[in-house]
Amino acid sequence: MHEESELVTGEAVVLDLHVAKLASRALAMALDVVVQFALLLGAVFVMTLAVPAGDGSLALTLFLVFLVLVMVGYPVLFETLSRGRSLGKMAVGLRVVRVDGGPIRFRHALTRGLAGFVVDFWTLGLFGAVAVIVSLCSSDGRRVGDFLAGTLVVRERVPESAGYPAIGMPPGLAGWASQLDLTRLPDGLALASRQFLARFNELRPEASHALGWGLAQQVGNALGAAVPPGVPPWAFLAAVLAERRNRDHARAFQAYAAAQAQQAQAFAPQGQGYPAQASAGLAQGYPAPGNAAQAYPGQPQSRPFPAQAASPEYAGSSEPTPPRGTPAAPAENPFTPPS
């Protein structure tokens, strides 16, 4: 049984986060402390070789500088560059995230690092006693630095993951959704909508209706498009998210096709170049049209889809199509409300 967070977004959607408790966090902290003390010992060894003997003030100043850099700079640097993971957290499988589930930034890591050095562990923390007490009193195992930074430590390695079901386009809304300007939809609002649809069947009818209409109104205001008459809120949200996903997939495919076209252009035979129409064909995801022997001198000419091209069913068609009698691919299952 997994411990899940009890954090709720502004849209009243519970975040599905597996919270890291005291034991795993203590192990990660112990590993980080070992690394930090190893760095301090290395810094002391370097100072004994570089600082002149008898200059105690310089040695003390350098030691304090290295102490702050190692005890504060180490966690801040690692958690900023790795989006919430120090070496100890990487080994244990933990990550620091914001309370809304998003990745942390430099300000979050800096707040946690300063609070950890001053309050939680070393200066006023009684070697971690304050962090342990606060973590035990928190239902999510958060220490003082987490409360100040608005962060939460979660587990990345879990035995199983429920995931979210695929959201299909509701019937009759594809044309309407294709006209929306989805660049104005915030990522946080899209995440809240996806979480609502994933838990649609788990909510009571009155709760799902209220939450759905609230989210639908927020999404409609962000997009500048009202909910179509007669469309339930779950269908409105599903259409927006499905269209958003389809456009992301289309952009990714176009970027890949363009990269393939550029690569083919770079490796074209010298002096011949690469036909512009072939580049256009690759960008659209189709075989390069034109004379293959002319584009690639010295290579045997070949024709794609020979069996289909010779069939009378393809006469007069510029693109290969499935033969007659072939059953159409099944349509994607739409998102349906609970019965």
Side-chain angles (χ1 to χ4, degrees), residues 2-8 17-23 25 99 131-144 146-147 151-155:
H2 302 304
E3 291 284 349
E4 295 187 358
S5 74
E6 297 178 355
L7 299 175
V8 181
L17 300 177
H18 298 273
V19 178
K21 291 299 184 178
L22 181 61
R25 295 189 63 175
V99 292
V132 171
I133 295 173
V134 175
S135 181
L136 289 175
C137 296
S138 172
S139 59
D140 296 320
R142 302 166 70 189
R143 60 178 175 88
V144 176
D146 291 318
F147 284 104
T151 56
L152 178 71
V153 180
V154 298
R155 291 183 292 163

Side-chain angles (χ1 to χ4, degrees), residues 4 20 38 46 76 106 112-113 122 149 166 180 184 221 240 250 261 271 292 304:
E4 295 187 358
V46 172
V76 172
F106 172 74
R112 295 184 79 255
W122 307 118
L180 297 176
R184 302 164 58 183
N221 293 335
V240 171

Side-chain angles (χ1 to χ4, degrees), residues 257-283 286-292 294-297:
Q260 293 298 314
Q262 292 178 359
Q263 185 177 7
Q265 176 75 24
F267 286 97
Q270 295 183 358
Q272 298 294 332
Y274 197 76
Q277 58 179 351
S279 300
L282 283 176
Y286 298 105
N291 192 337
Q294 203 174 36
Y296 299 96

Side-chain angles (χ1 to χ4, degrees), residues 75-338:
V76 172
L77 178 65
F78 270 91
E79 291 182 1
T80 301
L81 297 180
S82 63
R83 294 297 183 93
R85 295 191 301 171
S86 62
L87 292 179
K89 292 182 177 65
M90 291 181 187
V92 181
L94 306 181
R95 181 185 292 272
V96 182
V97 298
R98 301 196 306 263
V99 292
D100 60 358
I104 66 171
R105 300 183 182 275
F106 172 74
R107 64 178 182 272
H108 304 98
L110 180 62
T111 303
R112 295 184 79 255
L114 292 175
F117 180 75
V118 177
V119 180
D120 284 317
F121 299 108
W122 307 118
T123 306
L124 303 176
L126 302 177
F127 298 98
V130 173
V132 171
I133 295 173
V134 175
S135 181
L136 289 175
C137 296
S138 172
S139 59
D140 296 320
R142 302 166 70 189
R143 60 178 175 88
V144 176
D146 291 318
F147 284 104
L148 295 178
T151 56
L152 178 71
V153 180
V154 298
R155 291 183 292 163
E156 290 187 313
R157 303 172 190 170
V158 292
E160 59 185 14
S161 177
Y164 295 99
I167 299 175
M169 177 66 69
L173 293 180
W176 169 83
S178 64
Q179 307 298 323
L180 297 176
D181 181 13
L182 299 182
T183 58
R184 302 164 58 183
L185 180 63
D187 293 337
L189 190 54
L191 175 62
S193 302
R194 181 168 64 90
Q195 291 173 334
F196 165 75
L197 293 177
R199 290 182 167 84
F200 186 83
N201 294 325
E202 302 175 5
L203 300 174
R204 292 177 299 178
E206 57 274 14
S208 64
H209 181 78
L211 293 177
W213 272 115
L215 281 172
Q217 293 296 325
Q218 295 184 50
V219 172
N221 293 335
L223 300 179
V227 180
V231 176
W234 63 264
F236 171 78
L237 297 174
V240 171
L241 296 183
E243 179 65 20
R244 191 174 190 249
R245 178 202 57 208
N246 294 340
R247 293 185 188 181
D248 290 340
H249 290 177
R251 283 193 296 268
F253 175 79
Q254 291 175 0
Y256 173 77
Q260 293 298 314
Q262 292 178 359
Q263 185 177 7
Q265 176 75 24
F267 286 97
Q270 295 183 358
Q272 298 294 332
Y274 197 76
Q277 58 179 351
S279 300
L282 283 176
Q284 295 297 328
Y286 298 105
N291 192 337
Q294 203 174 36
Y296 299 96
Q299 298 294 331
Q301 184 176 1
S302 62
R303 298 173 62 190
F305 308 99
Q308 291 90 339
S311 174
E313 299 176 3
Y314 292 88
S317 175
S318 60
E319 298 179 6
T321 57
R324 294 176 184 174
T326 302
E332 187 177 7
N333 292 330
F335 186 90
T336 56

